[in-house]
């Protein structure tokens, strides 16, 4: 049976076919590595030098649990239009580029990637002579967000307060209670700039880190500060903000007797 799968294709896909057509054979030294951020789409490249409109290619992922079927195409039939056997994790998320089949492009796209999509993939052409198998490694990197609802190790919201030292100076306290892995804690101003601070006090107890972080704030053009705790290993970030009140007006000894404007903290 012959089926027509289209002629025109976006230029970037043609570019992919050319660049990634030299992907290393499974038994060879080269493996293509694709790195994307969590939640984005990943294009896994694979191509050969013959039309694939009436051919078979099969994408699989291998991990500790065995082999998972990602996407299969066979003579215009595939997992998105009737073929059975696709692993549940990839249903509705993996697709190919029909307009590129005539150029030998068997690349697929995985939508809305998650960390669990990371792994070693193979693109197999079992009916070609000789059989060709290509290897692609997908790395899905964490994007930083609040993960308290999905990871029990995520740091809780920091506890913040201030202690006034002088009329124009206060000490800001930030405490992060019980987190693992050890979070990086920073004080930032309202523009996101890191504010100088003392060395954090760290206590490790019961497989959790307890961190106290202090900074002293003097006269500045902002009164809003954020204590930010980041655990890059698990993609978690959380913050608490505190607003410093306006200081008491001070005189500047001017000759006209006018007092200076209140300092903003």
């Amino acid at each position: 049976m012959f089926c027509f799968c289209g002629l025109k294709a976006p230029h970037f896909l043609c570019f992919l076919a050319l660049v990634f057509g030299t992907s290393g054979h499974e038994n060879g030294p080269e493996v293509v590595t694709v790195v994307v951020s969590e939640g984005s789409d990943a294009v896994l490249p694979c191509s050969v030098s013959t039309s694939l409109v009436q051919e078979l290619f099969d994408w699989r992922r291998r991990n500790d649990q065995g082999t998972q079927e990602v996407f299969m195409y066979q003579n215009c039939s595939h997992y998105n239009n009737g073929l059975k056997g696709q692993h549940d994790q990839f249903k509705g998320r993996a697709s190919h580029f029909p307009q590129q089949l005539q150029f030998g492009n068997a690349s697929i796209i995985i939508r809305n990637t998650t960390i669990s999509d990371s792994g070693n993939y193979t693109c197999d052409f079992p009916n070609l002579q000789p059989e060709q198998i290509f290897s692609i490694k997908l790395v899905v990197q964490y994007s930083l967000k609040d993960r308290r609802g999905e990871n029990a190790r995520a740091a809780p919201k920091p506890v913040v307060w201030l202690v006034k030292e002088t009329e124009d100076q206060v000490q800001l306290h930030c405490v992060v209670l019980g987190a693992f892995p050890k979070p990086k804690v920073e004080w930032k101003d309202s523009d996101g700039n890191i504010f100088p601070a003392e060395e954090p006090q760290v206590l490790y107890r019961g497989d959790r880190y307890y961190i106290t972080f202090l900074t002293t704030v003097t006269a500045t053009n902002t009164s809003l500060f954020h204590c930010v705790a980041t655990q890059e290993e698990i993609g978690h970030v959380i913050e608490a903000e505190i607003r410093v009140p306006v200081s008491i007006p001070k005189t500047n000894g001017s000759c006209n007797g006018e007092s200076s404007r209140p300092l903003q903290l």
Side-chain angles (χ1 to χ4, degrees), residues 147-160:
R147 298 181 184 272
R148 286 175 296 173
E150 62 184 74
N151 195 323
R153 301 184 300 161
K157 186 175 182 178
V159 178
V160 294

PDB file of all heavy atoms in Angstrom, residues 147-160:
ATOM      1  N   ARG A 147       8.389  23.194  44.701  1.00  0.00           N
ATOM      2  CA  ARG A 147       8.062  21.770  44.590  1.00  0.00           C
ATOM      3  C   ARG A 147       7.627  21.166  45.938  1.00  0.00           C
ATOM      4  O   ARG A 147       7.711  19.954  46.127  1.00  0.00           O
ATOM      5  CB  ARG A 147       9.262  20.998  44.042  1.00  0.00           C
ATOM      6  CG  ARG A 147       9.670  21.424  42.646  1.00  0.00           C
ATOM      7  CD  ARG A 147      10.840  20.631  42.115  1.00  0.00           C
ATOM      8  NE  ARG A 147      11.275  21.126  40.824  1.00  0.00           N
ATOM      9  CZ  ARG A 147      10.782  20.729  39.654  1.00  0.00           C
ATOM     10  NH1 ARG A 147       9.845  19.797  39.621  1.00  0.00           N
ATOM     11  NH2 ARG A 147      11.227  21.237  38.522  1.00  0.00           N
ATOM     12  N   ARG A 148       7.135  21.985  46.830  1.00  0.00           N
ATOM     13  CA  ARG A 148       6.722  21.450  48.141  1.00  0.00           C
ATOM     14  C   ARG A 148       5.626  20.396  48.016  1.00  0.00           C
ATOM     15  O   ARG A 148       5.567  19.469  48.810  1.00  0.00           O
ATOM     16  CB  ARG A 148       6.255  22.590  49.044  1.00  0.00           C
ATOM     17  CG  ARG A 148       7.369  23.460  49.596  1.00  0.00           C
ATOM     18  CD  ARG A 148       6.821  24.621  50.380  1.00  0.00           C
ATOM     19  NE  ARG A 148       6.045  25.521  49.522  1.00  0.00           N
ATOM     20  CZ  ARG A 148       5.333  26.545  49.985  1.00  0.00           C
ATOM     21  NH1 ARG A 148       5.279  26.795  51.283  1.00  0.00           N
ATOM     22  NH2 ARG A 148       4.669  27.324  49.150  1.00  0.00           N
ATOM     23  N   GLY A 149       4.769  20.538  47.014  1.00  0.00           N
ATOM     24  CA  GLY A 149       3.677  19.593  46.873  1.00  0.00           C
ATOM     25  C   GLY A 149       4.059  18.287  46.210  1.00  0.00           C
ATOM     26  O   GLY A 149       3.272  17.341  46.221  1.00  0.00           O
ATOM     27  N   GLU A 150       5.281  18.201  45.650  1.00  0.00           N
ATOM     28  CA  GLU A 150       5.674  16.993  44.925  1.00  0.00           C
ATOM     29  C   GLU A 150       6.933  16.338  45.456  1.00  0.00           C
ATOM     30  O   GLU A 150       7.272  15.233  45.034  1.00  0.00           O
ATOM     31  CB  GLU A 150       5.878  17.327  43.448  1.00  0.00           C
ATOM     32  CG  GLU A 150       6.962  18.326  43.167  1.00  0.00           C
ATOM     33  CD  GLU A 150       7.064  18.700  41.704  1.00  0.00           C
ATOM     34  OE1 GLU A 150       6.187  19.451  41.219  1.00  0.00           O
ATOM     35  OE2 GLU A 150       8.017  18.245  41.040  1.00  0.00           O
ATOM     36  N   ASN A 151       7.634  16.994  46.373  1.00  0.00           N
ATOM     37  CA  ASN A 151       8.872  16.430  46.904  1.00  0.00           C
ATOM     38  C   ASN A 151       8.962  16.713  48.391  1.00  0.00           C
ATOM     39  O   ASN A 151       9.043  17.872  48.806  1.00  0.00           O
ATOM     40  CB  ASN A 151      10.080  17.019  46.163  1.00  0.00           C
ATOM     41  CG  ASN A 151      11.355  16.229  46.413  1.00  0.00           C
ATOM     42  OD1 ASN A 151      11.594  15.725  47.514  1.00  0.00           O
ATOM     43  ND2 ASN A 151      12.187  16.118  45.393  1.00  0.00           N
ATOM     44  N   ALA A 152       8.970  15.650  49.196  1.00  0.00           N
ATOM     45  CA  ALA A 152       8.993  15.807  50.650  1.00  0.00           C
ATOM     46  C   ALA A 152      10.294  16.409  51.146  1.00  0.00           C
ATOM     47  O   ALA A 152      10.362  16.902  52.276  1.00  0.00           O
ATOM     48  CB  ALA A 152       8.768  14.447  51.318  1.00  0.00           C
ATOM     49  N   ARG A 153      11.341  16.386  50.319  1.00  0.00           N
ATOM     50  CA  ARG A 153      12.631  16.932  50.730  1.00  0.00           C
ATOM     51  C   ARG A 153      12.745  18.425  50.450  1.00  0.00           C
ATOM     52  O   ARG A 153      13.728  19.062  50.846  1.00  0.00           O
ATOM     53  CB  ARG A 153      13.764  16.203  50.010  1.00  0.00           C
ATOM     54  CG  ARG A 153      13.809  14.700  50.256  1.00  0.00           C
ATOM     55  CD  ARG A 153      15.023  14.104  49.579  1.00  0.00           C
ATOM     56  NE  ARG A 153      15.004  14.335  48.136  1.00  0.00           N
ATOM     57  CZ  ARG A 153      16.063  14.257  47.336  1.00  0.00           C
ATOM     58  NH1 ARG A 153      17.247  13.972  47.857  1.00  0.00           N
ATOM     59  NH2 ARG A 153      15.967  14.482  46.045  1.00  0.00           N
ATOM     60  N   ALA A 154      11.761  18.994  49.779  1.00  0.00           N
ATOM     61  CA  ALA A 154      11.826  20.406  49.410  1.00  0.00           C
ATOM     62  C   ALA A 154      11.793  21.298  50.647  1.00  0.00           C
ATOM     63  O   ALA A 154      11.063  21.040  51.608  1.00  0.00           O
ATOM     64  CB  ALA A 154      10.666  20.759  48.483  1.00  0.00           C
ATOM     65  N   ALA A 155      12.598  22.342  50.620  1.00  0.00           N
ATOM     66  CA  ALA A 155      12.669  23.267  51.750  1.00  0.00           C
ATOM     67  C   ALA A 155      11.337  23.966  51.959  1.00  0.00           C
ATOM     68  O   ALA A 155      10.675  24.364  51.000  1.00  0.00           O
ATOM     69  CB  ALA A 155      13.765  24.296  51.501  1.00  0.00           C
ATOM     70  N   PRO A 156      10.919  24.145  53.221  1.00  0.00           N
ATOM     71  CA  PRO A 156       9.699  24.905  53.488  1.00  0.00           C
ATOM     72  C   PRO A 156       9.946  26.393  53.269  1.00  0.00           C
ATOM     73  O   PRO A 156      11.085  26.831  53.062  1.00  0.00           O
ATOM     74  CB  PRO A 156       9.431  24.606  54.968  1.00  0.00           C
ATOM     75  CG  PRO A 156      10.796  24.352  55.537  1.00  0.00           C
ATOM     76  CD  PRO A 156      11.579  23.673  54.454  1.00  0.00           C
ATOM     77  N   LYS A 157       8.893  27.170  53.306  1.00  0.00           N
ATOM     78  CA  LYS A 157       9.027  28.614  53.153  1.00  0.00           C
ATOM     79  C   LYS A 157       9.863  29.178  54.288  1.00  0.00           C
ATOM     80  O   LYS A 157       9.622  28.871  55.461  1.00  0.00           O
ATOM     81  CB  LYS A 157       7.648  29.276  53.140  1.00  0.00           C
ATOM     82  CG  LYS A 157       7.686  30.771  52.846  1.00  0.00           C
ATOM     83  CD  LYS A 157       6.283  31.328  52.722  1.00  0.00           C
ATOM     84  CE  LYS A 157       6.317  32.812  52.369  1.00  0.00           C
ATOM     85  NZ  LYS A 157       4.961  33.374  52.201  1.00  0.00           N
ATOM     86  N   PRO A 158      10.873  29.986  53.987  1.00  0.00           N
ATOM     87  CA  PRO A 158      11.716  30.542  55.049  1.00  0.00           C
ATOM     88  C   PRO A 158      10.914  31.389  56.028  1.00  0.00           C
ATOM     89  O   PRO A 158       9.891  31.982  55.681  1.00  0.00           O
ATOM     90  CB  PRO A 158      12.732  31.400  54.279  1.00  0.00           C
ATOM     91  CG  PRO A 158      12.735  30.839  52.888  1.00  0.00           C
ATOM     92  CD  PRO A 158      11.329  30.377  52.644  1.00  0.00           C
ATOM     93  N   VAL A 159      11.408  31.440  57.268  1.00  0.00           N
ATOM     94  CA  VAL A 159      10.837  32.306  58.301  1.00  0.00           C
ATOM     95  C   VAL A 159      11.730  33.534  58.393  1.00  0.00           C
ATOM     96  O   VAL A 159      12.949  33.417  58.566  1.00  0.00           O
ATOM     97  CB  VAL A 159      10.774  31.583  59.656  1.00  0.00           C
ATOM     98  CG1 VAL A 159      10.216  32.515  60.727  1.00  0.00           C
ATOM     99  CG2 VAL A 159       9.939  30.317  59.543  1.00  0.00           C
ATOM    100  N   VAL A 160      11.145  34.719  58.251  1.00  0.00           N
ATOM    101  CA  VAL A 160      11.940  35.947  58.244  1.00  0.00           C
ATOM    102  C   VAL A 160      11.400  36.936  59.269  1.00  0.00           C
ATOM    103  O   VAL A 160      10.200  36.995  59.529  1.00  0.00           O
ATOM    104  CB  VAL A 160      11.948  36.598  56.843  1.00  0.00           C
ATOM    105  CG1 VAL A 160      12.665  35.708  55.844  1.00  0.00           C
ATOM    106  CG2 VAL A 160      10.535  36.878  56.356  1.00  0.00           C
TER     107      VAL A 160
END
